[in-house]
């Protein structure tokens, strides 16, 4: 129910284990009543903590007359501490791999842009390289006309499904996010 804290949320927010076995413990978490109604005699939620920050939780349910002993609780808490470190290493490894891939793509983009001699060449490189680098379904680039300093019609690379057709019309006089950004000469996020 809205406004009721679950044991999982409480454990993750506090960074401390939550054990529900006695009636008074269950009463503190009405949101967990469905577990007791389903036959759980006890449950434990142990946060997975790395450098004082919870990155998840280990959840254990006991049924029938089972209640975790003090030793069981300490064992589960030890397992959670040991599991948190490799999970964090895995997350950091994935993050590093993504950053390395982005650095490689940036280098490829830099190399491709170094051969661009005209504004249209730059746009071509951008549309080709950036859409692949960020796995976007659609990308566009609009630039200012060199003489008038007015926004030129944007060029798109689009799979045809996401961009409103009016935005793809190079003669459009309508306001579009891309033309607004070019006219404002700053990034606009939507």
């Amino acid at each position: 129910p809205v406004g009721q804290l679950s044991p999982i949320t409480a454990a993750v927010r506090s960074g401390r284990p939550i054990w529900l076995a006695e009636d008074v413990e269950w009463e503190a978490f009405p949101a967990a009543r469905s577990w007791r109604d389903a036959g759980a005699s006890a449950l434990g939620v142990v946060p997975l903590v790395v450098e004082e920050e919870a990155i998840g939780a280990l959840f254990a349910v006991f049924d029938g007359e089972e209640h975790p002993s003090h030793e069981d609780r300490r064992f589960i808490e030890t397992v959670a501490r040991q599991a948190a470190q490799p999970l964090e290493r895995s997350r950091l490894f994935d993050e590093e791999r993504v950053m390395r891939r982005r650095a490689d793509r940036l280098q490829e983009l830099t190399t491709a842009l170094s051969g661009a001699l005209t504004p249209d060449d730059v746009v071509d490189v951008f549309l080709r390289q950036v859409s692949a680098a960020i796995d976007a379904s659609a990308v566009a680039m609009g630039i200012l006309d060199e003489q008038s300093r007015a926004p030129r019609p944007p060029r798109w690379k689009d799979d045809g499904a996401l961009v409103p057709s009016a935005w793809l019309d190079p003669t459009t006089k309508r306001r579009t996010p891309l033309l607004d950004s070019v006219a404002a000469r700053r990034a606009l996020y939507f």
Side-chain angles (χ1 to χ4, degrees), residues 121-140:
D121 291 344
V122 172
V123 172
D124 288 339
V125 168
F126 171 83
L127 294 177
R128 194 173 52 254
Q129 296 278 337
V130 172
S131 64
I134 62 174
D135 297 323
S137 297
V139 294

Side-chain angles (χ1 to χ4, degrees), residues 142-144 149 151 175-190:
I143 58 176
L144 298 176
R149 303 304 293 163
R175 290 185 60 185
T176 67
L178 182 65
L179 291 176
D180 288 350
S181 180
V182 171
R185 291 175 172 77
R186 63 183 175 86
L188 301 175
Y189 299 95
F190 304 91

